[in-house]
């Protein structure tokens, strides 16, 4: 197992903070990957990691992903993440999150936290009692509230960019979209799609969610595993990661993949190029699902829902530049997305006269 410094050097992380508070029982790690463009923003995950090594690996990987996500979303933010080692069902307390908040405060704004898997808006409200460097607070308290409608809107405009590029069409009317997962994002995406006249084929493991969408948007319902085999123009994964894999690649008959789920490609370096070979235009997940991040980032300057939606419309142009670069350089779209993000970070580093002491800190991004 590499030492902490070796792990940090591998992907050019700036700072790692180990937080230990016996009083509250807090054991957490905060990782700041890169603050070239701005303070590092990223959620706080709570998970019962079996080893400290697992927790460190996860937080370093996630923090780096946030650097790219913020850069591609045209935000003035860097990438960071935090993990609290513990069981989110049994180990939560006011003291724990206030203690975490004090560690965040100690970083004086270099890291801004938010909710993530295993943490909630309520937990972040405890964090806010100790620091103002927290986002994802409820709208009642002046925060940005549920980001999902904004994320869904971003996926919708990103899908339109993909349709323009792959099919030369301005509208989604008449196209068939297969939506997997009808939760917070999937439901709102269906709403946008139905409004524009797209035909919907949907699935979910939750029968209630299915019934609601089927009735409200006249969607056709299929069993969860059947979604990969339906006749569709667009596959929109909005549930799980890694649904683009060896099995589904042989089944998907679509022109476009555009959805909200994180880490859609099981193995980027394998399945990214294979999609391109099959002539399927893939909208890179972290570029198309950036609306949620844009939404919380807005909280930093004083939240304005209208501005968050407006900024999210930029996902159309971003995706178009990714698709064009992928075509010009004959590379998979996920590689083009990384290059677009790196170009922005490098240009802004030059503008700010920041000397990047690393060879090329942004290269070799992966989700592993
Ligand atoms: P959610 O938990 O509200 O919804 C997920 C839905 O997927 C649920 O209805 C669940 O029943 C369904 N599901 C689970 N397993 C399934 C399966 N095998 N087949 C079909 N459906 C299944 O989550 P969400 O907030 O809507 O997020 C959806 C995805 O988008 C996640 O991958 C999330 O990480 C990603 N994402 C969300 C946001 C956001 O703003 N909420 C932002 C960026 C990325």
């Amino acid at each position: 197992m590499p030492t902490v410094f070796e792990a940090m050097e591998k992907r050019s992380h700036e700072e790692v903070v180990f937080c230990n508070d016996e009083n509250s029982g807090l054991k957490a790690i905060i990782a700041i990957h890169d603050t070239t463009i701005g303070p590092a923003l990223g959620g706080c995950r709570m998970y019962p990691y079996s080893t400290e090594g697992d927790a460190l690996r996860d937080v370093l990987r996630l923090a780096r992903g946030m650097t790219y996500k913020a850069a591609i979303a045209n935000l003035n933010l860097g990438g960071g993440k935090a993990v609290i080692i513990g069981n989110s069902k049994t180990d939560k307390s006011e003291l724990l999150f206030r203690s975490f908040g004090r560690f965040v405060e100690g970083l004086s704004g270099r890291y801004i936290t938010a909710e993530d898997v295993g943490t909630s808006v309520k937990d972040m409200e405890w964090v806010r009692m100790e620091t103002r460097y927290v986002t994802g607070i409820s709208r009642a308290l002046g925060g940005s509230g549920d980001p999902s409608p904004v994320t869904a809107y971003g996926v919708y405009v990103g899908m339109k960019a993909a349709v323009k590029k792959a099919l030369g069409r301005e509208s989604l009317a008449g196209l068939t979209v297969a939506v997997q997962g009808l939760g917070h994002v999937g439901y709102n995406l269906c709403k946008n799609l139905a409004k524009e006249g797209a035909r919907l084929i949907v699935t979910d493991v939750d029968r209630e969610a299915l019934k609601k969408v089927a009735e409200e948007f006249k969607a056709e319902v299929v069993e969860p595993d059947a979604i990969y085999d339906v006749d569709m123009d667009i596959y929109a994964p909005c549930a799980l990661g890694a649904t683009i894999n060896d099995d589904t690649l042989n089944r998907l008959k679509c022109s476009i993949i555009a959805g909200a789920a994180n880490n859609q490609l099981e193995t980027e370096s394998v399945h990214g190029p294979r999609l391109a070979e099959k002539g399927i235009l893939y909208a890179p997940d972290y570029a198309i699902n950036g609306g949620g991040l844009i939404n919380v980032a807005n909280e930093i300057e004083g939240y304005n829902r209208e501005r968050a939606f407006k900024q999210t419309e930029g996902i159309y142009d971003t995706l178009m530049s990714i698709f064009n670069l992928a075509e010009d350089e004959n590379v998979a779209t996920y590689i083009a997305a990384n290059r677009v993000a790196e170009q922005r970070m490098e240009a802004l580093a030059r503008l700010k006269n920041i000397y990047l002491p690393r060879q090329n800190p942004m290269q070799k991004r992966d989700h592993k």
Side-chain angles (χ1 to χ4, degrees):
M1 180 163 157
T3 66
V4 176
F5 275 118
E6 281 166 355
M8 288 173 74
E9 273 164 18
K10 195 165 167 217
R11 301 274 184 231
S12 303
H13 286 78
E14 286 179 16
E15 186 174 355
V16 176
V17 181
F18 289 83
C19 316
N20 178 50
D21 176 23
E22 281 161 29
N23 188 32
S24 64
L26 177 77
K27 288 212 170 355
I29 311 175
I30 300 172
I32 296 177
H33 175 249
D34 193 288
T35 56
T36 306
I37 304 186
L41 188 143
C44 169
R45 187 165 282 199
M46 185 163 181
Y47 189 78
Y49 294 98
S50 350
T51 67
E52 285 169 23
D54 287 353
L56 180 65
R57 253 189 306 280
D58 209 27
V59 77
L60 292 177
R61 171 184 74 90
L62 294 165
R64 189 162 184 273
M66 290 308 294
T67 299
Y68 277 77
K69 197 162 180 168
I72 204 101
N74 291 320
L75 294 167
N76 290 325
L77 290 170
K81 204 87 182 184
V83 294
I84 295 179
I85 303 171
N87 186 325
S88 62
K89 298 230 161 41
T90 53
D91 298 342
K92 283 189 180 180
S93 68
E94 175 183 351
L95 213 59
L96 185 89
F97 284 101
R98 290 185 73 154
S99 171
F100 174 67
R102 291 178 77 82
F103 281 100
V104 173
E105 178 66 16
L107 289 165
S108 308
R110 270 174 59 69
Y111 168 66
I112 302 167
T113 198
E115 65 174 302
D116 199 80
V117 177
T119 60
S120 66
V121 169
K122 183 171 163 245
D123 303 332
M124 291 307 122
E125 283 164 9
W126 279 326
V127 172
R128 201 173 77 144
M129 292 173 186
E130 302 297 332
T131 182
R132 63 200 155 99
Y133 302 117
V134 52
T135 56
I137 301 295
S138 69
R139 292 190 75 183
L141 289 179
S144 59
D146 178 10
S148 311
V150 188
T151 303
Y153 185 62
V155 174
Y156 160 71
V157 297
M159 199 180 271
K160 283 175 79 81
V163 162
K164 175 75 181 163
K165 181 73 188 175
L167 308 174
R169 294 171 62 145
E170 303 293 336
S171 165
L172 300 168
L175 294 177
T176 302
V177 187
V179 183
Q180 178 185 49
L182 307 170
H184 291 90
V185 180
Y187 170 82
N188 284 294
L189 176 63
C190 287
K191 196 184 226 176
N192 285 303
L193 298 177
K195 203 164 148 201
E196 190 156 319
R199 183 177 157 248
L200 296 176
I201 303 179
V202 298
T203 194
D204 198 296
V205 288
D206 177 340
R207 296 276 142 191
E208 279 304 303
L210 262 180
K211 192 162 164 266
K212 187 169 176 221
V213 168
E215 283 171 6
E216 220 172 306
F217 309 124
K218 300 190 176 51
E220 182 187 329
V221 168
V222 295
E223 287 300 317
D225 191 55
I227 197 79
Y228 307 108
D229 303 311
V230 301
D231 273 331
M232 58 176 134
D233 299 294
I234 303 163
Y235 167 54
C238 297
L240 323 154
T243 64
I244 298 150
N245 51 46
D246 287 348
D247 169 41
T248 59
L249 254 173
N250 291 326
R251 296 161 64 187
L252 285 165
K253 293 179 288 292
C254 56
S255 312
I256 291 163
I257 297 178
N262 283 314
N263 302 324
Q264 292 171 23
L265 305 177
E266 186 178 63
T267 307
E268 274 189 335
S269 56
V270 174
H271 301 111
R274 278 192 58 203
L275 281 175
E277 280 157 29
K278 281 186 65 132
I280 297 177
L281 185 64
Y282 167 64
D285 45 17
Y286 76 94
I288 197 169
N289 73 13
L293 180 62
I294 293 171
N295 193 57
V296 291
N298 255 273
E299 225 173 294
I300 298 167
E301 294 163 18
Y303 187 65
N304 179 323
R305 192 84 163 168
E306 218 173 293
R307 187 180 55 196
F309 272 101
K310 197 79 208 144
Q311 252 178 293
T312 299
E313 282 174 7
I315 288 177
Y316 186 100
D317 288 340
T318 302
L319 279 183
M320 211 43 112
S321 38
I322 292 169
F323 297 148
N324 290 338
L325 186 69
E327 187 177 57
D328 293 348
E329 300 198 359
N330 197 21
V331 292
T333 51
Y334 85 93
I335 293 176
N338 294 347
R339 287 192 191 157
V340 169
E342 285 155 8
Q343 281 164 6
R344 178 162 182 259
M345 289 188 264
E346 283 159 5
L348 286 171
R350 277 197 301 276
L351 177 81
K352 294 180 177 192
N353 245 338
I354 295 173
Y355 168 64
L356 295 175
R358 302 143 280 200
Q359 243 191 338
N360 182 344
M362 318 305 180
Q363 267 175 6
K364 295 195 237 90
R365 173 185 189 274
D366 60 38
H367 288 296
K368 294 287 146 204

